[in-house]
Amino acid sequence: MCINKILSKKGQTVISNCIGCKTFYIWHDNLMLSFTESAFISFKEVLNSLSFEDRCLPFPGGEERIILHTPHDDISFAFEEEEFELCKAAIDEALYMKEVYELMR
């Protein structure tokens, strides 16, 4: 069984890392995605390359959201701008905290 260490929490996004298998988890509301370290870094790079203003779409409720496809074909996020920025900040912080924990070992 995985023993997860919380690396970051921003808004509805929580990012953890398994001490044993090294898997990264992104928890957002009732959705959980898992990544290898290299896939997590790639996901971060894709996220940071996107501009909310350039890619947002109007949703039925009137709010604008960005559709963020995940490595899992059938799963996508639909973030409002603040959620999108908080998710990116959580991922950046998680990678930073992982480095801090590694230096402390």
Side-chain angles (χ1 to χ4, degrees), residues 34-84:
S34 57
F35 299 87
T36 63
E37 185 169 357
S38 61
F40 186 70
I41 291 168
S42 294
F43 188 67
K44 170 198 177 290
E45 290 169 356
V46 168
L47 221 71
N48 286 335
S49 73
L50 300 176
S51 164
F52 185 87
E53 294 78 24
D54 294 340
R55 299 183 52 99
C56 66
L57 303 167
F59 266 59
E63 72 278 0
E64 291 187 333
R65 293 180 179 261
I66 186 171
I67 305 282
L68 178 61
H69 301 286
T70 70
H72 309 279
D73 292 335
D74 297 330
I75 301 172
S76 297
F77 288 109
F79 287 122
E80 291 179 341
E81 186 170 15
E82 183 179 3
E83 291 174 316
F84 180 63

Side-chain angles (χ1 to χ4, degrees), residues 26-40:
I26 297 178
W27 311 74
H28 187 81
D29 289 330
N30 64 348
L31 180 65
M32 181 194 74
L33 300 177
S34 57
F35 299 87
T36 63
E37 185 169 357
S38 61
F40 186 70

